[in-house]
Amino acid sequence: MKKILSVFLGLALCCMLAALPVCAEEAAAPQAEAIAAEPAGNGYATLVSEPDALIPVYVDEEAEGAEGTVEQAMANFSFTGTVMGLVKDSGIYQIVKGNWKSVVMILISFVLLYLAIVKQFEPLLLMPIAFGMLLTNLPLAGIMDEPVYEIISNPTYHGKAGVPIYNGEVLVGYQYVKQNGGLLYYLYQGVKLGIFPPLIFMGVGAMTDFGPLIANPMSLLLGAAAQLGIFLAFLLALLLGFSPAEAGAIGIIGGADGPTAIYVTTKLAPGLLGPIAIAAYSYMALVPVIQPPIMKAFTSKKDRQIVMGQLRPVSKTEKIIFPIIVTVLVSLMLPSAAPLIGSLMLGNLFKESGVTDRLSKTAQNELMNIVTIFLGVTVGATAKADTFLQTRTLMIIAMGIFAFGGGTLGGVLLGNVMCKLSGGKINPLIGSAGVSAVPMAARVSQKVGQQENPSNFLLMHAMGPNVAGVIGSAVAAGVFISMFG
């Protein structure tokens, strides 16, 4: 019992000490209001934060610093007031007051964590996204808060130089950081400025073998056909009242490429980043569930049993020249796709050249892992309750699965056409791998094919359309950005 009492007394003492600054602020507040009411001629003035209220002001730093002294804080100390202040400053109090939306978002984050950990649905990205969603919806945590600025007339303030602000040629004041932003706000700049997705693409390129695509260039058509879902979802979003830029960001979900979806959304519709990113990565994780029913519904059993011949060997020279040529051609035709395509092909060149093993391994492992953590957590942190819990979010998630299904369907339908034109030498199942979920979509083609014919090995054939889908989704992204960006 004595130990328990001592623990409680210790906690109470810590709370009292922690509350001293709060009390000091409360004690100083009335004086600050009185000072703000004084005319500017006496050496005091209000800190200006509204652009339309910019006036020449002067701050007396010495008098300002004398307002909240320790002596005043001790004189105004109240145990009851301290406890009540701690209660009101807690996230639990905010929830009790009626912040139910945050509770809903926290529960959604728990579901996503369950899917990532227990069901292992794209855990490398779904887990940081879910945890970022959890962090940003904890009341008062402020982990995604933007920095707060103020503008005053002092060129230096508390030993810091301000940034001069001009209205035309007239100097109106100096800008200072009143309050720093949250941790994830600054990390999010890598997403907002379009830095993280191309770095992810570099890692993907370093892990990708374009040999199957080079050996069978016709598979590039299957990768292009699988982008059908992007444009179907784009048209549907337009019909539902979304702007062309928002519709383009929604449609890109059909490419089944998370980094591309994030990149396009930050350029065209930043406000939709949370629901689009979560939809894109969720459906990527559900590839083995979504694709097989569509594949079986639009192919015959006989065609699914087709055994394809072995691909021709691809030389090292071809593999080295390929990323260079693709970068030049795509970037000349669609300059807006250059960041994604260029990063993808640079990573692949690291791998295939044979002279940059250290760079290739870094791009595949350390760099990609670090960027994946930052990208996932900050994207999840954009899913705040006020912006996520809307009818538009449910519409985006519904259109996302429509886009993904449309992409699978487009690849399978062209696969059927190529099967007929080749005289039954091409298994149409490889068309479903034209979506950009590498290598999961290719594995699904392999699995469905072996269910129909145990001697069937479609994996390498399906990898051609699969890696072509990565290029196709980047090209589609470039088209939308050039049109609406």
Side-chain angles (χ1 to χ4, degrees), residues 5 131 139 163 174 196 206 282 298 329 348 354 394-395 449 469:
L5 288 174
F131 208 83
V163 178
Y174 296 85
F196 290 162
S282 298
F298 290 91
L329 292 179
N348 187 251
L394 297 177
M395 294 169 65

Side-chain angles (χ1 to χ4, degrees), residues 304-307 446 448-457:
R304 292 196 297 270
Q305 293 177 336
I306 294 174
V307 177
Q446 164 74 9
V448 175
Q450 280 206 321
Q451 288 175 350
E452 303 293 341
N453 184 353
S455 63
N456 211 348
F457 294 94

